[in-house]
Amino acid sequence: MIGKIKKGSGFKGCVNYVLGKEQAVLLHADGVLTESRGDIIRSFCMQTGMNPDLKKPVGHIALSYSAVDAPKLTDEKMIQFAQEYMREMKITDTQYIIVRHQDREHPHVHIVFNRIDNNGKTISDKNDMYRNEQVCKKLKAKHGLYFAKGKEQVKQHRLKEPDKSKYEIYTAVKNEIGKSRNWQQLQHRLAEKGITIKFKRKGQTDEIQGISFSKGEYTFKGSEIDRSFSFSKLDRYFGDTGLNVAESQRQTAFAPIREQIPTRSNAESPFISGSLGLFFASPSPVDEEPNLNLRKKKKKKKRLKL
């Protein structure tokens, strides 16, 4: 079970999409007239008038299940799971429709709901991506649904952007990290595949806080691609070499400059004999003060003798 959440500004396009698919079936509706698509759209739009300041009142959720679970996913079960999902996500007391699609080999439904509830209040979307993930795991465990073994099960050839680029990065990092001994080798190998790495630093310091990967026009945080691709976890994989990534980058950057600077002994260096000599040969005022006091004392003793 996987949930994908989107928000939009117009119900017309969203309703026409979910009901316009071949063999789409309206399984359930609440709070809207269902004689036609136009009736459904008008019902949603009328309620948005209760809170015209909300720019994106359209809520759209796709709930997808593994093909392994297809035999148990009757229309009634799909409605039950969708409603349970909505309650867990605190999407309640509002208009919605549940539509089943038959265009893929895996069972899935689309939920279109009004983010302005029946009392004119906004249904919060705070942390909805994180909550969505937790709710899906909870319902899968509760109802004994199939747990996929990982991203390898995803049919990447059917993905659209930006998910397509995200999975291409995932595959490349997964394949190349085992062949790389340090960050520089990983960067080089990924660059050959058109993928770049960018480190996020803390303020103006060299302390690295995060990592992102870019391919074409798309950029993702490491943890967005996979939890194991956060900077801390990847850096731990490289051990000491990874922890010194900032220093390693500086060493690489300054290497060509060092090669251009001729080496010479201290005796030959005008900087050592000149500048440093000026700084270290002359006594400081602190060194002179005790000697000055001593000379004053000696003068007093001579006067007393006279």
Side-chain angles (χ1 to χ4, degrees):
M1 181 181 184
I2 298 174
K4 191 171 183 179
I5 304 175
K6 293 182 179 180
K7 292 175 283 290
S9 57
F11 280 101
K12 183 178 180 180
C14 187
V15 172
N16 282 333
Y17 167 74
V18 299
L19 288 173
K21 284 279 188 178
E22 188 177 352
Q23 295 183 328
V25 179
L26 178 61
L27 298 183
H28 186 77
D30 194 340
V32 297
L33 298 173
T34 59
E35 293 299 318
S36 67
R37 288 190 215 170
D39 287 332
I40 294 173
I41 294 166
R42 281 189 290 273
S43 297
F44 278 127
C45 291
M46 284 181 64
Q47 187 150 305
T48 61
M50 298 172 67
N51 188 350
D53 293 332
L54 185 62
K55 302 303 181 185
K56 292 187 176 181
V58 182
H60 178 200
I61 301 168
L63 289 180
S64 302
Y65 302 83
S66 170
V68 176
D69 292 322
K72 67 174 77 171
L73 291 174
T74 62
D75 289 347
E76 290 73 20
K77 281 291 183 184
M78 295 287 261
I79 296 170
Q80 175 192 335
F81 293 161
Q83 291 176 329
E84 193 170 347
Y85 171 90
M86 292 174 70
R87 287 195 298 272
E88 292 285 347
M89 291 292 291
K90 303 190 185 306
I91 302 170
T92 58
D93 195 24
T94 193
Q95 301 167 306
Y96 67 91
I97 61 173
I98 301 172
V99 181
R100 183 168 189 169
H101 282 183
Q102 310 284 351
D103 59 332
R104 301 287 177 86
E105 62 185 43
H106 63 275
H108 63 286
V109 296
H110 291 262
I111 304 170
V112 181
F113 69 95
N114 202 329
R115 294 188 59 228
I116 300 172
D117 71 15
N118 299 332
N119 299 309
K121 296 181 179 179
T122 301
I123 294 175
S124 175
D125 61 349
K126 185 178 181 180
N127 297 323
D128 59 353
M129 302 301 287
Y130 172 77
R131 290 187 291 118
N132 164 69
E133 184 179 351
Q134 299 305 307
V135 169
C136 286
K137 287 182 178 180
K138 179 179 178 179
L139 294 182
K140 281 196 291 186
K142 178 181 178 181
H143 296 290
L145 299 174
Y146 177 73
F147 276 84
K149 295 180 180 180
K151 290 183 173 64
E152 292 78 5
Q153 301 294 321
V154 175
K155 295 179 175 60
Q156 295 190 34
H157 65 281
R158 302 187 67 172
L159 292 174
K160 297 180 180 179
E161 296 293 5
D163 291 332
K164 184 175 183 293
S165 293
K166 183 188 291 187
Y167 276 88
E168 286 175 351
I169 294 173
Y170 167 79
T171 302
V173 175
K174 180 176 176 293
N175 291 339
E176 299 302 331
I177 192 170
K179 305 173 186 177
S180 306
R181 291 181 296 175
N182 51 46
W183 279 108
Q184 285 67 43
Q185 287 189 7
L186 180 62
Q187 285 178 294
H188 178 72
R189 289 178 180 276
L190 292 179
E192 292 178 342
K193 299 179 181 297
I195 299 169
T196 58
I197 295 177
K198 184 177 180 180
F199 296 101
K200 180 184 177 182
R201 289 177 166 78
K202 183 178 180 180
Q204 301 299 317
T205 70
D206 284 328
E207 181 183 347
I208 297 176
Q209 291 184 316
I211 187 173
S212 61
F213 298 86
S214 299
K215 183 176 175 62
E217 60 182 301
Y218 300 104
T219 298
F220 309 93
K221 294 179 181 177
S223 57
E224 288 178 336
I225 298 170
D226 193 85
R227 288 184 177 181
S228 63
F229 290 174
S230 67
F231 171 73
S232 59
K233 291 182 179 178
L234 288 176
D235 198 53
R236 196 178 304 130
Y237 172 83
F238 287 127
D240 293 338
T241 304
L243 291 170
N244 293 324
V245 61
E247 178 61 28
S248 298
Q249 287 181 328
R250 286 197 298 273
Q251 295 288 338
T252 303
F254 290 122
I257 299 174
R258 291 195 192 93
E259 291 175 0
Q260 297 172 16
I261 301 175
T263 58
R264 59 172 72 195
S265 65
N266 290 351
E268 296 173 327
S269 174
F271 181 77
I272 295 296
S273 59
S275 300
L276 289 182
L278 289 173
F279 284 119
F280 293 107
S282 302
S284 67
V286 175
D287 295 329
E288 289 182 340
E289 187 175 355
N291 295 331
L292 182 62
N293 292 334
L294 183 60
R295 285 197 296 271
K296 287 180 179 179
K297 288 180 181 180
K298 288 181 178 180
K299 286 181 180 180
K300 285 182 180 180
K301 287 181 179 181
K302 287 182 179 179
R303 290 196 195 100
L304 290 174
K305 290 180 179 180
L306 294 172

